[in-house]
């Protein structure tokens, strides 16, 4: 009977309803608002569990007083989504945090702490603790307490008897891309991801990542932990005040899950990494493999590689990029043949084609200047390779330099070969349903 409102009121052809009385709405939220329009939010409060038609299993378990879950990112995300539908204003949960979605909150948090000058990984921590109302199970099992008027449920008993209070809670390290190559990470306190209902105050969090409980707040806001401890369980201790009473609770969550240790165990890496900044502010962290016979950190025969689009929620370590692109020893082979491999990691990696292309154009000019400064008696031209979106960024950069050279007498890009790989030169045909799911 968990989804009885959906089954009873929305499905076509329910007994007793004529064809003209059938309620059909493409927007399930609008349908639920019509059906439950006579329930009094002054009694049930801001949130009613029955507003959520597609409840996650963890959410349903907690409504049935089963709080035994060990949480991870997936469970947290679905709990967050289910909870957001429970509020009479479906955006309430997000508006309180001043963000449009949990995705935006995570991305903003990672951006705030990430630094292109280091290989350190910073991950936000998500926390939910909400008191909501739920129609009591004994009423869910029968239809004696309501009637139907104009497709709306109308209670025939006092609504003070109708509801029970439930607590929905979850927490997780918001590690959305575990295969990123980082052996350690900093868990960061992220205020916009600490979400609780208005009746909770004086919240105090303490967290245990395997080395004892520590205060976790805006002051002690970074805790270093080991990402290689696969499936290790962490603990969150909670103190808060509700209705002038002090409460204590504990939640458990996975510190790490599904880590690809084979990638992390590889010892090969770049000869060096460095950072360069374009005039538009975009920072490029580049890894270098020194070509055979070339000097330390000198450019002689550059091959510049631009990786694919990289959203903020998908941080990638430079060592992981090395292992991903050194398939079959490609990068090592290029270096052994005298090429200086220069692999560019754009920070951030999701900027527009024009913005990123402008930065890469300047970077190519800088590589040319440094190449001539390092080896003034030689004149090797570049090879530029771009993967997916990186291929389009590279193409834009080379076109810009070429046009400036032809029209305004600017310096030539001195690139003899451009190699796009899986790059959408005619645009990308992304089905509307995929765009909708991503949105």
């Amino acid at each position: 009977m968990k989804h009885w409102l959906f089954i009873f009121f929305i499905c076509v052809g329910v007994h007793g309803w004529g064809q003209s009385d059938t309620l059909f709405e493409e927007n399930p939220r609008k349908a639920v608002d019509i059906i439950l329009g006579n329930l009094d939010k002054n009694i049930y409060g801001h949130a009613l569990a029955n507003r959520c038609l597609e409840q996650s299993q963890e959410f349903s378990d907690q409504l049935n007083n089963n709080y035994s879950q060990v949480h991870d990112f997936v469970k947290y995300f679905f709990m967050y989504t289910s909870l957001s539908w429970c509020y009479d204003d479906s955006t309430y949960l997000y508006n309180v945090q001043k963000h449009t979605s949990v995705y935006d909150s995570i991305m903003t948090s990672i951006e705030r702490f990430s630094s292109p000058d280091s290989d350190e990984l910073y991950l936000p921590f998500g926390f939910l603790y909400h008191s909501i109302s739920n129609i009591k199970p004994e009423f869910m099992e029968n239809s004696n307490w309501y009637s139907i008027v104009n497709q709306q449920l109308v209670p025939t008993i006092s609504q003070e008897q109708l509801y029970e209070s439930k607590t929905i809670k979850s927490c997780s390290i918001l590690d959305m891309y575990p295969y990123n190559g980082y052996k350690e990470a900093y868990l960061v306190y992220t205020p916009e991801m600490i979400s609780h209902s208005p009746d909770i105050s004086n919240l105090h969090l303490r967290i245990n990542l395997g080395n004892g409980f520590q205060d976790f707040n805006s002051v002690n806001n970074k805790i270093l932990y080991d990402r290689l401890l696969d499936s290790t369980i962490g603990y969150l201790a909670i103190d808060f005040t509700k209705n002038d009473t002090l409460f204590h609770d504990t939640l458990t969550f996975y510190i790490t899950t599904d880590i690809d240790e084979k990638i992390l165990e590889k010892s090969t890496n770049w000869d060096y990494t460095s950072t360069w900044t374009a005039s538009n502010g975009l920072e490029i962290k580049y890894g270098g493999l020194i070509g055979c016979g070339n000097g330390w950190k000198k450019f002689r025969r550059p091959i510049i590689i631009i990786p694919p689009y990289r959203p903020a929620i998908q941080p990638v370590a430079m060592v992981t990029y090395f292992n991903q692109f050194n398939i079959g020893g490609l990068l090592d082979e290029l270096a052994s043949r005298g090429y200086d491999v220069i692999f560019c990691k754009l920070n951030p990696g999701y900027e527009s084609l024009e913005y990123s292309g402008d930065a890469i154009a300047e970077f190519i000019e800088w590589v040319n200047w440094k190449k001539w400064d390092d080896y003034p008696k030689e004149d090797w031209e570049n090879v530029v390779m771009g993967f997916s979106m990186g291929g389009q960024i590279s193409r834009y950069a080379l076109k810009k330099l070429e046009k400036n050279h032809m029209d305004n007498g600017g310096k030539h890009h001195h690139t003899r070969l451009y190699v796009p790989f899986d790059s959408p030169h005619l645009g990308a045909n992304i089905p509307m349903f995929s765009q909708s799911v991503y949105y």
Side-chain angles (χ1 to χ4, degrees):
M1 298 289 291
K2 182 171 60 177
H3 297 149
W4 66 276
L5 287 175
F6 178 80
I7 296 170
F8 188 84
F9 292 109
I10 299 179
C11 288
V12 176
V14 175
H15 290 296
W17 286 16
Q19 189 68 26
S20 61
D21 295 326
T22 301
L23 174 63
F24 179 80
E25 292 288 350
E26 292 184 0
N27 184 338
R29 180 61 199 222
K30 184 177 179 181
V32 171
D33 286 342
I34 293 172
I35 294 165
L36 302 181
N38 290 299
L39 296 185
D40 189 351
K41 68 179 181 181
N42 292 321
I43 299 176
Y44 70 72
H46 288 288
L48 180 64
N50 311 87
R51 286 185 175 275
C52 180
L53 299 180
E54 293 299 324
Q55 298 171 358
S56 65
Q57 185 60 54
E58 292 75 24
F59 189 91
S60 299
D61 287 345
Q62 292 194 5
L63 291 180
N64 291 316
N65 300 314
N66 177 6
Y67 294 96
S68 62
Q69 304 98 339
V70 178
H71 300 265
D72 58 23
F73 170 76
V74 175
K75 293 178 181 178
Y76 167 87
F77 181 82
F78 283 114
M79 290 282 281
Y80 199 111
T81 302
S82 296
L83 187 59
S84 70
W85 283 96
C86 296
Y87 280 90
D88 55 279
D89 176 357
S90 63
T91 63
Y92 173 85
L93 192 63
Y94 299 143
N95 286 347
V96 167
Q97 311 305 327
K98 295 179 172 51
H99 285 280
T100 58
S101 70
V102 64
Y103 172 90
D104 291 338
S105 299
I106 296 171
M107 186 169 69
T108 300
S109 302
I110 292 175
E111 284 181 318
R112 179 190 310 154
F113 289 97
S114 296
S115 170
D117 295 321
S118 72
D119 281 324
E120 294 177 340
L121 175 65
Y122 296 87
L123 293 171
F125 187 75
F127 170 72
L128 302 172
Y129 209 98
H130 284 252
S131 301
I132 66 172
S133 294
N134 185 48
I135 296 176
K136 293 178 181 178
E138 56 264 33
F139 293 114
M140 297 283 282
E141 299 299 328
N142 65 74
S143 59
N144 297 327
W145 59 275
Y146 66 85
S147 61
I148 301 171
V149 179
N150 295 327
Q151 302 173 339
Q152 286 189 304
L153 178 152
V154 180
T156 56
I157 64 171
S158 171
Q159 289 196 42
E160 280 80 0
Q161 308 172 37
L162 190 57
Y163 312 106
E164 61 182 355
S165 179
K166 291 292 182 179
T167 299
I168 300 298
K169 50 190 177 181
S170 182
C171 66
S172 176
I173 297 174
L174 303 182
D175 191 352
M176 300 179 69
Y177 187 63
Y179 309 106
N180 54 36
Y182 291 92
K183 298 180 180 181
E184 295 181 323
Y186 284 96
L187 185 64
V188 294
Y189 181 81
T190 317
E192 62 266 27
M193 296 306 300
I194 306 298
S195 176
H196 58 81
S197 50
D199 59 340
I200 292 174
S201 60
N202 301 321
L203 180 67
H204 180 210
L205 305 179
R206 288 173 294 127
I207 203 163
N208 185 348
L209 298 174
N211 51 359
F213 281 98
Q214 303 179 52
D215 285 342
F216 194 50
N217 49 43
S218 57
V219 176
N220 189 41
N221 60 357
K222 291 196 306 183
I223 299 178
L224 185 66
Y225 71 98
D226 186 352
R227 294 183 72 251
L228 296 186
L229 301 175
D230 189 48
S231 298
T232 298
I233 294 177
Y235 298 88
L236 178 69
I238 311 155
D239 300 324
F240 61 91
T241 302
K242 180 178 176 181
N243 299 326
D244 297 324
T245 303
L246 182 63
F247 290 89
H248 310 275
D249 203 348
T250 302
L251 278 71
T252 57
F253 58 94
Y254 288 112
I255 295 178
T256 55
T257 55
D258 204 20
I259 302 297
D260 190 345
E261 296 188 36
K262 293 181 180 179
I263 292 179
L264 296 170
E265 288 172 354
K266 292 184 178 180
S267 59
T268 53
N269 206 337
W270 307 104
D271 291 334
Y272 64 92
T273 60
S274 190
T275 301
W276 181 90
T277 305
S279 62
N280 62 10
L282 195 147
E283 295 174 292
I284 297 174
K285 182 163 189 176
Y286 62 94
L289 281 185
I290 300 170
C292 179
N294 298 346
W296 175 251
K297 289 190 177 183
K298 290 185 176 182
F299 297 161
R300 191 177 197 174
R301 301 174 64 190
I303 176 167
I304 303 168
I305 302 176
I306 315 299
Y309 177 91
R310 177 178 54 84
I313 57 173
Q314 186 177 316
V316 181
M318 290 298 292
V319 63
T320 298
Y321 270 136
F322 183 91
N323 291 314
Q324 287 177 348
F325 286 85
N326 196 33
I327 300 298
L330 171 64
L331 302 182
D332 291 327
E333 174 71 11
L334 290 170
S336 71
R337 291 178 178 270
Y339 289 99
D340 296 298
V341 179
I342 306 168
F343 186 94
C344 300
K345 172 184 175 180
L346 282 66
N347 274 297
Y350 54 82
E351 291 289 358
S352 68
L353 173 63
E354 295 83 357
Y355 191 82
S356 300
D358 288 344
I360 290 299
E362 290 184 19
F363 184 75
I364 292 173
E365 288 185 313
W366 176 75
V367 168
N368 286 336
W369 169 84
K370 189 175 186 306
K371 174 179 62 179
W372 294 323
D373 188 61
D374 291 340
Y375 294 93
K377 296 181 180 181
E378 300 185 29
D379 192 17
W380 298 96
E381 290 193 312
N382 310 320
V383 175
V384 175
M385 177 183 294
F387 290 80
S388 189
M389 180 65 171
Q392 294 306 298
I393 292 171
S394 305
R395 181 186 182 189
Y396 178 94
L398 293 172
K399 288 272 190 179
K400 179 179 180 178
L401 290 171
E402 199 167 80
K403 179 175 175 57
N404 187 47
H405 172 69
M406 298 295 291
D407 294 350
N408 306 313
K411 292 183 179 179
H412 194 270
H413 51 57
H414 284 272
T415 297
R416 66 176 178 85
L417 182 64
Y418 159 63
V419 185
F421 185 88
D422 194 26
S423 191
H425 293 295
L426 299 180
N429 182 15
I430 303 175
M432 291 299 293
F433 82 90
S434 297
Q435 297 182 49
S436 178
V437 168
Y438 178 81
Y439 178 78

